[in-house]
Amino acid sequence: MNRVEASAPVAEGMAAGSLVPTRTRYFVVVFAVTLAVIQYIDRVCISQAAPLITAEFHFGPVQMGYVFAAFTWAYSLFEIPGGWLGDKLGPRRVLTRVVLWWSFFTAATGWTWNFVSLVVTRALFGAGEAGCFPNLTKAFTTWLPPDERVKAQSILWLSARWGGAFTPLIVVLVLQFVGWRRAFEIFGLLGVVWAVVFYLWFRDDPREHPQVNAAERALLTGASNLASAHMHVPWSRFLRSATTWLLWGQYFCLSYGWYFYPTWLPTYLQEARGQVMAKGALLAGLPLFFGGIGCFVSGFLSARLARRIGVRWARKLVAAFGFTGACLMLLLSVRLADPTFAMVAMGMASFCNDLAMPPAWGACMDVGGRFAGTYSGSMNMMGNLGGVAGPIVVGYILEATGHDWALTFYVSAAVYLLGAILWLFIDPVTPLDLAPAPGA
């Protein structure tokens, strides 16, 4: 090594020390936020259109339950492949492709003609959306220092929930001018625009981005090292880890209760609460709106508690409290006769539900490390199996009981309570590379 080569790192280190770090990394959060909003608009719009679809195709509740579940089945099954591809190829290529894919099938939802075509289209749509959050988590892992990651996740999920919260109103507005079929075509265009801009700007390794200065590169050195591609995923270590199974289990419980909102809620408001479409759309947005606030509060509450009691117990406490609160608020909503008060209680259940989101995804980043994309994908896959079960179980309960909506909430409350218990045993901070092997 000659003197010029040897002095280069020293010179760069001195330059980094003399510069104020750029804030280019925060544009990654902006891209994540906008994509989360688009993803939830594309996902949730079918719940508002469901009464129109049901009327046109003459579906019963069980058939519509399977339509909702078709998305979630594919979304669950492709979580791990989507995360693995992000770890192998990088989020830039993978996110661009999956966003274009799901945008096409969002539009194609409006081209369906019967039960089978609708189920297949929603399944293909779900397969594309599965790559979204694991790859955004991978991008956060490589672009953000550790102390900024959970806050970024809280902002991400707030945006996702608020995108879903305002979707019912957006859909009602669009439906005033076009039919439900054209509405899906309009929503499909949003992702195409995002994918083009993202591909032109983003780099998998922040050190390669021309807008990142030496000081910011120095700040991101540890995170950037996680951007290197790799082939071998330690599946056996994943499966032998108690933390893995507990994270999977709690996310199953979380998704089971939450998936009522983007699927059956508009129908519930019309059938059980007698709400017309316009007011029902406003009320239907409350759980996701409150949920977004829960995500935001969770991120900052976890950070403050971590300084007092440590990251491990901060995450456990916030998540367990969230699951318990969701259980109690859901039970309260059943007892309230006034539709508005009932939806406020259900909104608070969603708020508590989403207190558990940033701790869960923060655990995936810390525990998964350089395999954060695959690891978070596995949690989201197993969790969303609860999202598969929820709409189908609701459909069968309604058909078997003559539309006893209260029973569906009692079942969800019990599942939430189980999630709170699981969090008492989770280690949300120790990386799998450092965790002792079972039996050691």
Side-chain angles (χ1 to χ4, degrees):
M1 179 185 294
N2 59 39
R3 288 185 178 179
V4 174
E5 292 173 331
S7 63
V10 176
E12 184 171 344
M14 293 176 63
S18 63
L19 289 174
V20 175
T22 49
R23 298 185 177 184
T24 307
R25 63 190 183 279
Y26 295 135
F27 283 98
V28 175
V29 180
V30 173
F31 274 107
V33 163
T34 53
L35 184 60
V37 171
I38 292 170
Q39 199 246 30
Y40 265 64
I41 288 174
D42 290 348
R43 182 194 303 194
V44 176
C45 59
I46 193 171
S47 65
Q48 198 62 38
L52 300 175
I53 296 172
T54 301
E56 180 172 332
F57 290 151
H58 306 290
F59 289 163
V62 171
Q63 285 177 297
M64 202 62 211
Y66 276 105
V67 170
F68 291 143
F71 158 81
T72 321
W73 267 115
Y75 186 77
S76 301
L77 293 175
F78 283 86
E79 283 288 327
I80 289 179
W84 177 78
L85 283 173
D87 286 335
K88 179 184 177 184
L89 303 177
R92 185 177 186 231
R93 283 188 284 177
V94 176
L95 276 173
T96 301
R97 293 171 184 176
V98 299
V99 173
L100 290 174
W101 174 278
W102 94 55
S103 298
F104 173 81
F105 285 104
T106 297
T109 302
W111 309 335
T112 56
W113 60 93
N114 59 15
F115 175 73
V116 174
S117 65
L118 185 57
V119 167
V120 171
T121 300
R122 297 306 291 176
L124 292 171
F125 165 72
E129 283 211 340
C132 178
F133 291 114
N135 280 280
L136 291 179
T137 298
K138 177 68 174 181
F140 282 172
T141 305
T142 55
W143 269 84
L144 299 175
D147 60 339
E148 295 180 358
R149 293 173 188 168
V150 172
K151 286 184 180 179
Q153 286 284 357
S154 69
I155 295 171
L156 169 67
W157 286 104
L158 176 147
S159 305
R161 295 309 201 220
W162 280 8
F166 290 107
T167 295
L169 293 174
I170 295 171
V171 174
V172 169
L173 178 63
V174 172
L175 289 175
Q176 292 179 354
F177 300 97
V178 299
W180 68 268
R181 294 180 180 276
R182 300 290 83 78
F184 281 98
E185 296 174 351
I186 292 170
F187 294 137
L189 290 175
L190 300 176
V192 175
V193 175
W194 185 94
V196 172
V197 177
F198 173 80
Y199 185 81
L200 294 174
W201 185 90
F202 187 79
R203 301 292 184 274
D204 290 323
D205 190 335
R207 293 170 296 191
E208 298 175 358
H209 200 285
Q211 296 174 7
V212 175
N213 69 3
E216 190 172 25
R217 281 198 296 272
L219 184 66
L220 300 177
T221 298
S224 300
N225 291 335
L226 299 174
S228 57
H230 54 273
M231 294 293 293
H232 176 66
V233 175
W235 292 110
S236 62
R237 195 165 185 87
F238 281 13
L239 295 174
R240 293 198 308 269
S241 167
T243 295
T244 299
W245 288 95
L246 290 167
L247 281 172
W248 289 353
Q250 63 85 31
Y251 216 62
F252 180 98
C253 296
L254 183 144
S255 296
Y256 180 96
W258 183 84
Y259 261 91
F260 180 83
Y261 305 131
T263 55
W264 284 108
L265 181 56
T267 304
Y268 164 75
L269 287 170
Q270 291 187 37
E271 285 190 5
R273 296 291 184 173
Q275 301 302 299
V276 297
M277 180 173 284
K279 186 177 181 182
L282 182 62
L283 293 176
L286 287 179
L288 275 75
F289 182 82
F290 278 65
I293 298 174
C295 291
F296 186 78
V297 169
S298 176
F300 286 87
L301 181 61
S302 297
R304 176 161 292 191
L305 283 174
R307 291 193 291 269
R308 293 177 176 269
I309 61 176
V311 175
R312 181 192 309 271
W313 284 103
R315 288 179 180 173
K316 290 164 73 76
L317 180 62
V318 171
F321 177 83
F323 272 104
T324 304
C327 169
L328 297 176
M329 289 295 104
L330 204 57
L331 292 175
L332 176 62
S333 72
V334 178
R335 308 301 301 174
L336 296 173
D338 185 271
T340 302
F341 289 152
M343 286 310 304
V344 170
M346 200 174 293
M348 289 305 300
S350 179
F351 171 89
C352 293
N353 176 106
D354 283 8
L355 288 176
M357 295 284 287
W361 286 85
C364 285
M365 289 189 285
D366 288 351
V367 176
R370 62 196 177 101
F371 302 101
T374 306
Y375 197 72
S376 61
S378 73
M379 183 190 75
N380 212 19
M381 181 198 77
M382 297 300 290
N384 278 282
L385 291 179
V388 172
I392 294 177
V393 171
V394 169
Y396 277 108
I397 289 175
L398 295 177
E399 189 167 273
T401 62
H403 288 230
D404 183 356
W405 288 96
L407 182 58
T408 67
F409 296 131
Y410 295 147
V411 173
S412 295
V415 175
Y416 274 139
L417 185 60
L418 175 60
I421 295 171
L422 293 177
W423 260 101
L424 299 178
F425 302 97
I426 292 175
D427 175 1
V429 295
T430 304
L432 284 177
D433 290 343
L434 301 179

